[in-house]
Amino acid sequence: VNYRHAYHAGNFADVVKHVALVAILQRLKKKDKPLRVIDTHAGRGLYDLTGNEAARSGEAAGGIARLGDLRAPLPPALQDYLDVVRASGAGKYPGSPLIAARLLRSGDRLVAIEKHPEECAVLRHSLASFANARVVEADGYARLGALLPPVERRGLVLIDPPYESGDEFESVARALVGAHRRFATGVFMLWFPVKSAAAADAFCGEIVTAGIEKLVRVDFDLGARPDAGKERLSAAGLLVVNPPFGFADEMGEIGRVLEPRLGRAQDAKIAIAWLSGGEG
Ligand SMILES: C[S@@+](CC[C@H](N)C(=O)[O-])C[C@H]1O[C@@H](n2cnc3c(N)ncnc32)[C@H](O)[C@@H]1O
């Protein structure tokens, strides 16, 4: 098991995932009541885009590096996301636990779970200045159940595994369904790669069939990239359970800003669809 997120930090999929994370947290913060964020596959929290791995893959060049010319006014989640990235320093890119820690209020709490000791050690360092953040070295799937429901009874669970093993879709589906049973009012966001449209559709279908209501799917597809090697991911998605009001609309708006920048020849597409339930 050798996944290192450092190769992918700041790529198009990270950008969309992290903007969505910000959009959810901004909305949850509209209420004064404290909230909990649980990141089951947290990574190291802060990535060096000038380091070996990032430089070798060059993935950030097709992601965050393309957003340097964006100027206000921007959709609020995109603006906050860019501010958090800039605050991380030149050549640095923040991962999900650091983005969450930066956005949470002092009464909110973050639990960041990371299985790999080396990544976990860096994560502890990345989050050291946040008194309301706790780092747990453990298997995110195994630990999640015991953390639900959180005492705050509101918040977000992010499930963002590496999809290295053949059965990761099943593990994610099982984890989501079990976690949702314990914390039915929680917001859940899970990330998945789209290597095959059929496999991704089947996965999403399984979640719908499990009876999870209020489910939005966000798809981002870079479109045809003749220069990209086959092994490089060009499409991914997010499933968001119980998205806060207005999330889907703002993601649509953000999609229109990001599409021409992240895609190669104006053929990128960010699509939002309600798979079950809706607003209104
Ligand atoms: C896609 S990366 C996470 C990126 C992070 N969520 C972000 O957005 O910045 C997946 C991480 O999960 C870790 N990991 C792999 N299997 C795990 C497991 N069973 N439980 C917790 N973490 C795991 C990997 O070491 C890796 O750091």
Side-chain angles (χ1 to χ4, degrees):
V1 183
N2 242 326
Y3 179 91
R4 302 283 303 276
H5 194 67
Y7 288 99
H8 311 294
N11 71 1
F12 79 102
D14 251 13
V15 168
V16 179
K17 170 179 63 185
H18 292 152
V19 176
L21 170 65
V22 173
I24 291 169
L25 292 181
Q26 279 185 337
R27 286 180 166 73
L28 288 176
K29 288 199 304 181
K30 284 188 177 161
K31 280 196 190 139
D32 286 337
K33 290 206 218 143
L35 63 104
R36 170 89 51 143
V37 173
I38 300 171
D39 194 339
T40 61
H41 295 70
R44 53 173 52 203
L46 186 63
Y47 298 88
D48 180 3
L49 296 183
T50 64
N52 267 339
E53 295 98 332
R56 270 202 349 241
S57 78
E59 289 195 22
I64 185 63
R66 298 223 177 151
L67 307 186
D69 67 331
L70 283 177
R71 295 287 174 268
L74 294 171
L78 184 53
Q79 184 63 61
D80 251 23
Y81 162 74
L82 291 172
D83 290 346
V84 170
V85 173
R86 284 176 193 137
S88 301
K92 297 280 200 298
Y93 186 80
S96 53
L98 186 57
I99 294 171
R102 288 235 160 89
L103 293 182
L104 290 180
R105 304 157 299 187
S106 57
D108 300 326
R109 296 197 168 277
L110 167 68
V111 181
I113 311 168
E114 168 59 49
K115 184 174 166 187
H116 292 287
E118 208 183 296
E119 298 294 291
C120 199
V122 182
L123 178 59
R124 279 187 207 288
H125 184 74
S126 305
L127 294 180
S129 61
F130 299 93
N132 56 348
R134 180 157 65 92
V135 174
V136 180
E137 186 179 321
D139 179 320
Y141 296 124
R143 189 54 66 93
L144 181 59
L147 297 170
L148 298 177
V151 286
E152 296 84 358
R153 302 263 164 184
R154 55 193 301 268
L156 166 70
V157 177
L158 170 61
I159 305 178
D160 182 24
Y163 293 87
E164 296 176 294
S165 59
D167 61 354
E168 194 99 58
F169 273 116
E170 285 96 85
S171 304
V172 172
R174 211 177 315 119
L176 175 66
V177 171
H180 180 261
R181 216 167 273 145
R182 286 169 177 265
F183 184 32
T185 56
V187 181
F188 296 83
M189 176 163 92
L190 48 94
W191 183 93
F192 57 92
V194 181
K195 290 176 185 157
S196 128
D201 289 351
F203 167 66
C204 294
E206 199 181 319
I207 305 296
V208 175
T209 309
I212 291 184
E213 285 162 18
K214 280 205 83 181
L215 186 61
V216 162
R217 175 174 173 176
V218 178
D219 269 279
F220 28 111
D221 188 334
L222 294 181
R225 296 183 23 122
D227 61 327
K230 272 219 165 88
E231 71 286 355
R232 185 167 288 190
L233 192 68
S234 68
L238 297 168
L239 275 183
V240 181
V241 181
N242 295 325
F245 190 83
F247 167 81
D249 285 348
E250 189 179 359
M251 287 309 292
E253 208 185 312
I254 288 165
R256 288 187 284 280
V257 179
L258 295 183
E259 279 165 357
R261 287 182 170 75
L262 296 182
R264 207 174 171 275
Q266 310 271 323
D267 51 2
K269 197 86 212 115
I270 296 180
I272 323 291
W274 284 93
L275 300 187
S276 126
E279 268 166 14

